[in-house]
Amino acid sequence: GENVEQHPSTLSVQEGDSAVIKCTYSDSASNYFPWYKQELGKRPQLIIDIRSNVGEKKDQRIAVTLNKTAKHFSLHITETQPEDSAVYFCAAPKGGATNKLIFGTGTLLAVQP
Amino acid sequence: DSGVTQTPKHLITATGQRVTLRCSPRSGDLSVYWYQQSLDQGLQFLIQYYNGEERAKGNILERFSAQQFPDLHSELNLSSLELGDSALYFCASSVDVGELFFGEGSRLTVL
């Protein structure tokens, strides 16, 4: 199928703790895995992405890991802050060069101060 | 500001009506995508155009249609509207396989 499964659907953490969101995809041809952040009432914005030729990528407090064999990829946020509160979407392309980006169902992250 | 412009921002209409949503992509981007986001739902892929040609199709209803014009702007036409069509419709653009730049969305309310 074309599903990108994302878990958990909601996540509540204390400020300063880490948060991990996991996604699985079905298309073995997928080679690009972005993560988007959508604040309330705003548009989705890319926060980090990874291509299939690497297993991990970091950008300050956020990191993404990829396991192509298992078709899993995860978003890791360390030292969470209240401004990290948002809905996070993973995505994976379907159909190779078409860039038909299929999004996961989203994770609502709440960082409690 | 992503550089992607969508109009109108808000639209209220009645069941059975037809509306057109408009999107201007970022300068230089050839690809335009349409996504539907219903309340508490994720981003449902509708359709993608590349340089005027339809490139990929998602779960787009037959009542919906889209096109991309020679100047690269795109329109999404929604007809015979139903209550369930109420949603936020996002347009996004990109150069190629990579980052999507989303517009602010058009919020459609069908009464």
Side-chain angles (χ1 to χ4, degrees):
Chain A
E2 299 184 344
N3 287 347
V4 176
E5 296 187 2
Q6 182 172 347
H7 300 280
S9 57
T10 60
L11 180 59
S12 181
V13 299
Q14 290 296 124
E15 184 177 356
D17 287 351
S18 295
V20 180
I21 303 170
K22 299 180 179 180
C23 285
T24 60
Y25 61 97
S26 58
D27 187 351
S28 56
S30 296
N31 55 7
Y32 172 68
F33 307 92
W35 286 89
Y36 284 77
K37 176 183 181 182
Q38 186 178 23
E39 296 178 357
L40 186 63
K42 301 281 184 68
R43 60 188 170 88
Q45 291 187 269
L46 181 73
I47 55 170
I48 194 167
D49 57 13
I50 191 169
R51 295 188 184 270
S52 58
N53 56 345
V54 296
E56 184 176 8
K57 183 177 178 181
K58 288 183 179 179
D59 183 2
Q60 299 182 359
R61 294 186 298 106
I62 60 173
V64 55
T65 58
L66 172 64
N67 182 330
K68 282 219 76 177
T69 303
K71 297 182 188 171
H72 290 171
F73 59 112
S74 300
L75 177 70
H76 304 255
I77 306 175
T78 59
E79 301 173 26
T80 53
Q81 301 169 2
E83 52 265 38
D84 294 329
S85 296
V87 178
Y88 291 82
F89 292 98
C90 62
K94 169 70 179 176
T98 67
N99 196 27
K100 179 180 173 181
L101 207 57
I102 305 300
F103 283 82
T105 49
T107 297
L108 175 60
L109 173 64
V111 180
Q112 309 297 331
Chain B
D1 184 6
S2 66
V4 177
T5 303
Q6 287 188 248
T7 57
K9 286 186 168 54
H10 301 276
L11 189 56
I12 301 174
T13 189
T15 55
Q17 295 298 304
R18 172 190 170 93
V19 299
T20 297
L21 309 181
R22 194 179 191 278
C23 170
S24 293
R26 288 191 323 157
S27 176
D29 285 357
L30 300 179
S31 278
V32 169
Y33 309 77
W34 287 98
Y35 284 87
Q36 179 193 56
Q37 186 172 45
S38 303
L39 191 64
D40 296 330
Q41 294 294 311
L43 293 155
Q44 299 295 316
F45 173 76
L46 295 179
I47 199 163
Q48 178 205 358
Y49 282 84
Y50 180 84
N51 202 21
E53 302 275 334
E54 181 184 306
R55 177 170 270 192
K57 215 166 188 177
N59 298 322
I60 187 167
L61 300 172
E62 286 191 10
R63 300 184 286 109
F64 296 179
S65 64
Q67 55 183 331
Q68 186 179 28
F69 294 87
D71 67 351
L72 301 179
H73 92 271
S74 177
E75 292 181 357
L76 178 67
N77 301 296
L78 316 174
S79 62
S80 302
L81 285 168
E82 302 175 358
L83 296 178
D85 297 328
S86 295
L88 189 55
Y89 291 85
F90 281 108
C91 169
S93 74
S94 72
V95 173
D96 197 348
V97 177
E99 181 174 3
L100 297 189
F101 293 88
F102 284 84
E104 298 295 327
S106 292
R107 183 168 297 282
L108 172 67
T109 301
V110 182
L111 300 177

